[in-house]
Amino acid sequence: MQPLEGYPLTASDDQAAALEEAYEALRLGGELAAAEAAAQQLLESDAGFLPARVLLAQARYWERRDQEVIAQVGPVVDELPEYTAAQLLIGGAAQRAGDVPVAFEAFAQLGDQGHEEAGQRAAAIKPRALEIVFNELEYEVGRGHVETAEQHLAWLEYWGEDSLELYRGQRLVAVEQGDLERELAAVRALGQRTGELDDLRREGQLELQIGDVRSGLDRLEALHQQFPDDEPTRDLLDEAKFLWRLQLLPADVQETGRKHELSRSDAATLLYWLVPGVRFSQVTNPPIAADILDHPSREVILKVLNLGLMHVDETRHLFEPEASATEVEVLFALLELLSSSGRFACLSDASVLDVDASWRSICHLASACQLISSQADCTPSAIAGRDALELIRRTLNLLGNRTGLDNRTGLGNRE
């Protein structure tokens, strides 16, 4: 293609004539030296005359020096994206060099401007271009290079529109960033496009976590009907039903379950409201805790203490209701519930369940009873409401939604 094709600026008659003569010599006879000499002469007269750079790159293209063509014409198309001859040249060189995304970008820009042939070439290689960019994004996410991955995602958003590669890329980046809302938007789109179980199940799970519990429950019930033998879906449906029942509790209890970090009084509140038998138990001989006498959750704390699910500092007689509750403290309470039933082999060594039990012992028992997936992930760190709710749910499932407190109080069956 003539170097002046689509050039949006003005060339003098002398410049145009020199370009045409050199290009024809190159096209018809492969006169590389003549084309290069003409281009250099034009650039000596006007260093900013871009068609001369295109002519020089055309000579490099003739020699199959494609990477040099891309490097030389790249700045030209950045400056003048509507310059047809430059875009076609860089597109052809990139496609021949195997750089499909660069070729697609060049052809797509011309196609958007109404160039029919370029638009057809862009359409032909678009699927491969999207696949390559997605693979590069996935690679960068795997290396933890989220900023670089975001750059690839920007290309997918620009090119990909409604493509699977776009939504999969958005999901990968969102997962790496811990952005659940962004992930939910991506899996919603994926679920609509693919109908794949993993995508639909994850959408339901995210609805439970950050969206609408009713919507998540409905989706998971529909999935369970469609895939009745899928165990992960059954587990999520059970979680959804548990969270839906939580919606029936007082608003302040629901808010407690959403806290990013629970206090000890918060943990007692969740045990009180969610574990059958706690709320209607009789307080007979609770330990002394001087710092809960005027606390708004005094009754709640007293019942949890009376059942031995949580402890006070016997030396100072303090419960410390506003101190952070830890994962280990919640696990201790739930293991006590399991132990009281007397029917779990995982608690054969439950003698370690006392006020002086080490956190590692608690974690070991919790892992053995499958309350947690791995002992290595169990630490005496602060616990979020969502995590505490999940631990309570797992415990109630093990107990068949009843509690061993029946044996101690005779009141567990009243709820």
Side-chain angles (χ1 to χ4, degrees), residues 162-180:
D162 194 33
S163 69
L164 292 178
E165 288 83 2
L166 168 62
Y167 299 129
R168 286 170 177 158
Q170 288 175 335
R171 181 180 183 179
L172 283 175
V173 172
V175 170
E176 185 67 17
Q177 294 175 328
D179 189 338
L180 296 182

Side-chain angles (χ1 to χ4, degrees), residues 109-342:
Q109 287 203 35
L110 287 180
D112 291 342
Q113 296 163 25
H115 194 289
E116 185 175 352
E117 179 188 353
Q120 293 172 349
R121 295 175 74 175
I125 63 175
K126 180 177 181 177
R128 180 57 181 156
L130 295 178
E131 180 185 7
I132 289 173
V133 174
F134 172 77
N135 289 340
E136 291 174 349
L137 180 152
E138 187 175 34
Y139 174 72
E140 295 298 341
V141 167
R143 298 171 64 199
H145 296 172
V146 181
E147 289 187 5
T148 306
E150 286 271 25
Q151 294 172 10
H152 293 303
L153 182 58
W155 283 115
L156 290 177
E157 290 172 341
Y158 182 62
W159 294 342
E161 301 168 351
D162 194 33
S163 69
L164 292 178
E165 288 83 2
L166 168 62
Y167 299 129
R168 286 170 177 158
Q170 288 175 335
R171 181 180 183 179
L172 283 175
V173 172
V175 170
E176 185 67 17
Q177 294 175 328
D179 189 338
L180 296 182
E181 291 186 359
R182 191 178 185 185
E183 184 188 356
L184 176 56
V187 295
R188 276 176 179 159
L190 281 172
Q192 292 173 359
R193 289 291 307 276
T194 70
E196 292 181 2
L197 178 57
D198 285 347
D199 295 330
L200 296 172
R201 189 196 302 124
R202 181 58 177 163
E203 181 182 352
Q205 184 179 30
L206 288 169
E207 285 283 11
L208 297 182
Q209 293 180 6
I210 62 168
D212 178 67
V213 174
R214 180 73 255 182
S215 175
L217 176 58
D218 290 344
R219 178 166 296 281
L220 291 167
E221 284 181 332
L223 279 181
H224 179 59
Q225 291 177 3
Q226 187 177 358
F227 303 98
D229 297 326
D230 183 62
E231 186 174 346
T233 300
R234 284 201 306 270
D235 290 343
L236 284 174
L237 179 57
D238 182 73
E239 179 183 352
K241 291 177 178 178
F242 176 80
L243 293 176
W244 179 247
R245 289 194 296 270
L246 185 63
Q247 309 300 305
L248 306 178
L249 297 180
D252 58 334
V253 180
Q254 296 180 46
E255 184 60 32
T256 298
R258 289 190 289 266
K259 287 186 176 181
H260 294 295
E261 184 173 312
L262 295 181
S263 67
R264 300 191 78 224
S265 65
D266 291 333
T269 295
L270 294 182
L271 292 169
Y272 175 89
W273 282 100
L274 292 170
V275 177
V278 175
R279 194 168 9 145
F280 294 112
S281 64
Q282 300 296 318
V283 177
T284 55
N285 187 28
I288 299 172
D291 55 353
I292 68 168
L293 296 177
D294 298 319
H295 197 277
S297 298
R298 176 177 177 274
E299 179 185 355
V300 168
I301 296 170
L302 278 176
K303 291 196 173 187
V304 170
L305 289 176
N306 186 66
L307 294 168
L309 302 182
M310 298 182 76
H311 298 294
V312 300
D313 184 322
E314 295 290 354
T315 302
R316 297 182 297 152
H317 299 292
L318 297 177
F319 178 71
E320 298 182 298
E322 303 313 317
S324 293
T326 68
E327 179 184 15
V328 171
E329 284 181 298
V330 173
L331 286 172
F332 176 91
L334 299 175
L335 288 168
E336 277 285 333
L337 292 172
L338 295 179
S339 177
S340 66
S341 74

Side-chain angles (χ1 to χ4, degrees), residues 47-59:
F49 186 50
L50 298 182
R53 296 189 196 177
V54 171
L55 176 62
L56 191 59
Q58 287 175 329

